Amino acid sequence: MDVQLKRGLLDVCVLAAIKSEDSYGYKIMKDLKPYLELSESTLYTILKRLETANMLTVHTAEHGGRLRKYYHITKDGLRRIEDFKKEWSEMLSIYRFVTKEDIDHE
Amino acid sequence: MSKQEFLARLRNGLSKLPQHDREERLTFYSEMIDDRMEEGLSEEEAVCEIGDIDQLISQITADVPLEKTKSRRRLRPWEIILLVLGSPIWLSLLIAVFAVMLSLCLSLWAVFVSLAACALGGIVAGIGFACNGHALPGLAMIGAGMVCAGLSVFMFYACKAATKGMWQLIKRRKRNE
């Protein structure tokens, strides 16, 4: 996949992974694995960026005798997902237009 | 590699980073390893999955300067050459623009100063005239002097605004670079 496109998608994917419930680093990676390849350092950068942009918050909780960081989506994060959905519904109609002729000719 | 060894090497490799940044990343990776082990992986396997540590270190140290200095744009070599070659032109133009702005500003102030001087001169001379028996011309001069005084007050505010505006223009241009 185009690198630039992927970079824009990763942010939204991470947000989607924490949308319905708070999640932690490794679980986010596992959730995204079927869709996008994600390394730890990339995930770290994304999480930091989203935190700075106020799209998620971080809190620490105890788990199995150690501390684990959990990420929670904010209103701005949810809004980002909604914007993404709008952008892509437009893109979908463009996709249909672009591939229409191909389908007609098949 | 053991988890401790991995973290020690990572801490070493990231020594150039600010401490807070470095510790945060270490916590992150430590957590990643722990979570993997919880899934059933051995410590060795968990560390292995993170990948090559040297590659990781160089990747992080390459990324961090970019994160910190996102506002400043790095100049490419050909841009630098072009700038240097063209400097006689753009530099002299810049000086010319600056000189024009400065002289405009100064001439505004000069008008103010002359108005103020006329005001003072008019009033003083007018009083002098009036006291020496030439009441009417004296009064007229005082009147003219007062008009000048009023105008000079307006001029003062105009000069202040113009100077401030020019200063901000310069500041904004400097910031955009």
Side-chain angles (χ1 to χ4, degrees):
Chain A
M1 193 192 278
D2 181 46
V3 173
Q4 290 286 51
L5 188 62
K6 187 174 170 185
R7 199 176 298 156
L9 294 173
L10 282 172
D11 285 15
V12 194
C13 282
V14 170
L15 285 172
I18 61 174
K19 183 177 156 190
S20 41
E21 58 171 1
D22 293 1
S23 190
Y24 55 97
Y26 186 52
K27 182 159 183 294
I28 296 174
M29 273 186 75
K30 280 197 297 172
D31 290 343
L32 261 55
K33 199 151 189 209
Y35 308 100
L36 284 169
E37 271 304 317
L38 190 61
S39 73
E40 273 85 353
S41 50
T42 312
L43 180 60
Y44 179 85
T45 315
I46 295 171
L47 288 168
K48 263 263 150 283
R49 181 165 61 226
L50 290 171
E51 189 187 348
T52 314
N54 235 357
M55 295 197 190
L56 57 77
T57 57
V58 193
H59 63 269
T60 322
E62 210 224 305
H63 173 89
R66 58 186 171 98
L67 291 175
R68 188 192 256 169
K69 280 211 179 123
Y70 286 87
Y71 303 95
H72 172 82
I73 198 169
T74 63
K75 280 212 183 77
D76 286 343
L78 287 164
R79 203 173 302 139
R80 175 78 189 89
I81 294 180
E82 290 307 306
D83 291 344
F84 172 84
K85 281 154 85 171
K86 275 194 211 119
E87 286 165 19
W88 279 79
S89 71
E90 284 177 40
M91 208 170 294
L92 214 57
S93 44
I94 294 171
Y95 174 83
R96 289 201 188 101
F97 170 71
V98 169
T99 55
K100 191 170 89 95
E101 292 186 353
D102 299 342
I103 295 171
D104 285 348
H105 283 163
E106 277 170 17
Chain B
M1 205 190 303
S2 74
K3 179 181 159 194
Q4 283 302 103
E5 198 188 325
F6 176 86
L7 291 175
R9 280 185 67 177
L10 193 60
R11 181 176 276 122
N12 215 359
L14 300 180
S15 54
K16 295 214 181 86
L17 263 67
Q19 195 200 9
H20 176 72
D21 200 350
R22 182 174 60 236
E23 292 306 316
E24 251 189 357
R25 286 179 196 265
L26 283 162
T27 313
F28 185 77
Y29 284 95
S30 173
E31 203 184 283
M32 282 284 173
I33 296 173
D34 289 335
D35 285 332
R36 282 192 160 90
M37 294 202 296
E38 203 177 277
E39 294 257 309
L41 267 70
S42 74
E43 193 173 303
E44 290 279 340
E45 288 169 338
V47 172
C48 218
E49 276 202 3
I50 308 252
D52 179 45
I53 189 167
D54 293 312
Q55 208 175 47
L56 184 66
I57 291 172
S58 48
Q59 195 181 341
I60 295 174
T61 41
D63 280 340
V64 169
L66 281 171
E67 286 171 24
K68 291 275 152 76
T69 63
K70 216 179 273 181
S71 50
R72 206 185 298 161
R73 205 173 68 100
R74 292 253 180 84
L75 281 177
R76 281 165 256 158
W78 69 264
E79 289 178 86
I80 300 178
I81 294 176
L82 219 66
L83 267 174
V84 170
L85 284 177
S87 64
I89 301 174
W90 64 258
L91 193 62
S92 35
L93 272 175
L94 198 69
I95 294 175
V97 167
F98 207 70
V100 168
M101 291 207 315
L102 196 66
S103 46
L104 267 172
C105 216
L106 281 175
S107 35
L108 279 174
W109 281 101
V111 172
F112 161 70
V113 170
S114 43
L115 275 174
C118 284
L120 196 66
I123 294 176
V124 169
I127 294 176
F129 265 80
C131 290
N132 283 347
H134 302 284
L136 281 175
L139 266 173
M141 286 192 86
I142 294 175
M146 295 220 152
V147 170
C148 283
L151 283 173
S152 65
V153 172
F154 280 122
M155 203 60 213
F156 180 70
Y157 284 112
C159 284
K160 241 178 106 179
T163 318
K164 204 182 269 185
M166 233 161 268
W167 197 238
Q168 283 183 344
L169 255 171
I170 297 170
K171 262 197 188 158
R172 208 183 302 150
R173 198 160 292 159
K174 272 224 166 114
R175 203 174 295 158
N176 277 347
E177 284 170 21

